[in-house]
Amino acid sequence: MASEFDLIRRFFTRPAPNAVLGVGDDAALVQVSPGRLLAVSSDMLVAGRHFLPDADPYLLGHKTLAVNLSDLAAMGAMPRWATLALALPESDETWLEAFSRGFFELADRFGVALVGGDTTRGPLNLCVTIIGETDVRPLRRDAAQAGDEIWVSGDLGGAALGLAHLQGEIELNEHDAAACLSRLHQPEPRVVLGLKLAELPRVAAIDISDGLLADLGHILDRSGVGAEVELACVPAHPALASLPPDAALARRCLLAGGDDYELCFATPLRDAASVLAAGAAAGVTLSRIGRITGPTGLRVLDRNGVQLLIKERGFDHFAG
Ligand code: ADP
Ligand code: MG
């Protein structure tokens, strides 16, 4: 049976041209570009909590890195290095081959080098720390001001609808199921959009991992402001269109569905043209969904401007 060191060498040791020293010593050494800040973030995926133990390892490799890249996207940071801490129940080489392939395909697309990690036996658990570089003025949650417009990239609700399908809450047709499961298992981190937005004068941003209302709520809390969201303006995944829009499931997926990894951000009205240019440059559609208000609180309005009563806020690991 392969030793821990064989596994590391075979599956996780690749050239890391952007590091001074990569895998193989007691620590990696990296050189930070002059005048730049490091952006550092960790995200852990736990079997039985974030994915089923028999989940496709190739897709898991992608998602483990994608959720971390998404955090850097929300900071407007350029991803550069990652470490990977793995607990594995057994040294299953077929599993590791597929997992590392999914991981490195995405890493290569964004120029991220895996420079270290840890490998141990234990219940399946995947933790990446991603390190990127930003300008001295990155995107932050605390930068929103009253009057700003609120934007969302791409469309929302697809991943949550895919999960509802997997859990038997709804049965989607083959086409919709494939589209939604791909959103759930293979999210596309909006790294380029984040970098483009970081060129604007003032942007407050977050990535949507726990649901629109929950994550927008974090911007509001950190910025000490409120918001109005127009339900009809929130871009829905096309598969949600086949459900009645006022169905509880459709609304839950759209407003409180996690795992979409789109960006939600607030910018001054006068920067709308630059925002649209950033979206075009990144190849992502952007929708204006509402505005930041002075008084705190988050209100969702229907077409007639009437406030809707919304119960779902999003996913919280320790709530309920
Ligand atoms: P130490 O015992 O000194 O912490 P390890 O024996 O755990 O070192 O790891 C040896 C080398 O392999 C280190 O450079 C470590 O960063 C790297 N490494 C271990 N596991 C992984 C992994 N899953 N992915 C990438 N690098 C890893
Ligand atoms: Mg170790």
Side-chain angles (χ1 to χ4, degrees):
M1 188 145 94
S3 75
E4 173 190 334
F5 303 103
D6 291 334
L7 296 180
I8 295 168
R9 194 167 49 243
R10 276 184 59 197
F11 298 111
F12 299 112
T13 307
R14 303 278 168 96
N18 69 354
V20 178
L21 187 60
V23 169
D25 213 308
D26 292 304
L29 298 174
V30 299
Q31 176 74 56
V32 187
S33 309
R36 306 270 279 166
L37 299 180
L38 284 186
V40 183
S41 175
S42 295
D43 244 315
M44 182 156 67
L45 298 188
V46 178
R49 174 64 47 185
H50 300 95
F51 60 90
L52 299 171
D54 64 352
D56 181 324
Y58 170 81
L59 297 173
L60 264 185
H62 173 101
K63 187 161 178 177
T64 305
L65 182 58
V67 300
N68 280 274
L69 286 171
S70 178
D71 283 321
L72 288 195
M75 298 298 291
M78 169 80 82
R80 300 211 58 198
W81 308 284
T83 65
L84 169 64
L86 283 176
L88 302 167
E90 56 189 339
S91 71
D92 178 341
E93 295 179 29
T94 312
W95 192 96
L96 281 164
E97 188 282 321
F99 175 85
S100 60
R101 197 158 38 86
F103 186 97
F104 282 112
E105 274 183 21
L106 190 62
D108 290 347
R109 273 179 55 208
F110 288 103
V112 173
L114 183 65
V115 294
D118 200 17
T119 307
T120 173
R121 190 185 289 271
L124 185 56
N125 193 331
L126 313 162
C127 182
V128 167
T129 295
I130 187 109
I131 306 167
E133 291 186 342
T134 74
D135 198 355
V136 289
R137 205 177 30 75
L139 311 180
R140 297 169 51 136
R141 295 180 181 183
D142 61 6
Q145 294 178 10
D148 286 357
E149 291 185 301
I150 304 169
W151 300 76
V152 162
S153 66
D155 55 49
L156 300 180
L161 192 59
L163 184 63
H165 173 79
L166 279 187
Q167 293 177 332
E169 197 179 334
I170 185 173
E171 199 177 331
L172 298 173
N173 65 43
E174 213 173 304
H175 173 267
D176 286 350
C180 290
L181 290 176
S182 137
R183 291 294 171 89
L184 180 64
H185 296 314
Q186 268 187 303
E188 177 64 22
R190 300 301 188 190
V191 172
V192 179
L193 177 62
L195 288 169
K196 295 283 173 200
L197 290 175
E199 294 171 9
L200 272 60
R202 177 172 59 78
V203 182
I206 192 166
D207 65 319
I208 304 178
S209 54
D210 293 332
L212 173 64
L213 297 187
D215 288 319
L216 174 56
H218 294 310
I219 290 186
L220 305 183
D221 290 344
R222 299 280 302 185
S223 301
V225 292
E228 281 175 359
V229 167
E230 289 172 45
L231 184 61
C233 298
V234 180
H237 185 276
L240 282 176
S242 57
L243 305 178
D246 56 350
L249 177 64
R251 194 167 283 181
R252 196 184 80 210
C253 289
L254 190 64
L255 299 179
D259 274 340
D260 283 315
Y261 298 99
E262 294 294 349
L263 295 186
C264 174
F265 55 95
T267 57
L269 217 60
R270 60 176 178 275
D271 291 329
S274 310
V275 169
L276 289 170
V284 188
T285 58
L286 299 178
S287 308
R288 264 178 267 223
I289 62 163
R291 65 206 65 79
I292 300 289
T293 58
T296 54
L298 174 49
R299 308 192 312 138
V300 181
L301 309 178
D302 73 7
R303 274 175 204 290
N304 305 314
V306 177
Q307 184 175 354
L308 295 163
L309 186 66
I310 304 285
K311 286 196 271 327
E312 308 89 354
R313 271 301 279 261
F315 192 76
D316 178 336
H317 282 277
F318 294 101

